[in-house]
Amino acid sequence: MSHPKSGSWTFLTRSEFRLDTPAAEATSLWDHNVVVMASGMQIGLPTPTARNADPVRLWELPPHSPQRPATTTILRAVRACVERGESR
């Protein structure tokens, strides 16, 4: 999901484990505007058919199945981008 006003993205993942991110890594992720939310936290989702001239959230790729990527897979990709100095 993209958040046009803040320029951020939200990834919906399969939370298969408890996140225990070391403090140094959590700080590094935070410094790159990455926030990992614990399983069960609520976030606002856009409706798939909303047509809004001033959108708050948009689907970049609407979910078509209940399958989600593993949280570890998404974090690995984010870490790789951060290590290369890429922005979101």
Side-chain angles (χ1 to χ4, degrees), residues 11-75:
F11 294 90
L12 303 179
T13 66
R14 180 178 71 241
S15 184
E16 70 284 358
F17 66 99
R18 188 170 156 248
L19 291 173
D20 288 322
T21 306
E25 183 175 8
T27 299
S28 174
L29 291 172
W30 178 260
D31 288 346
H32 289 87
N33 299 317
V34 176
V35 177
V36 178
M37 297 175 66
S39 178
M41 299 280 300
Q42 291 186 355
I43 61 169
L45 297 176
T47 61
T49 58
R51 301 281 183 240
N52 188 340
D54 190 22
V56 175
R57 295 176 191 89
L58 299 170
W59 290 110
E60 288 295 320
L61 180 61
H64 296 287
S65 116
Q67 298 297 321
R68 303 284 176 259
T71 303
T72 53
T73 302
I74 297 299
L75 286 176

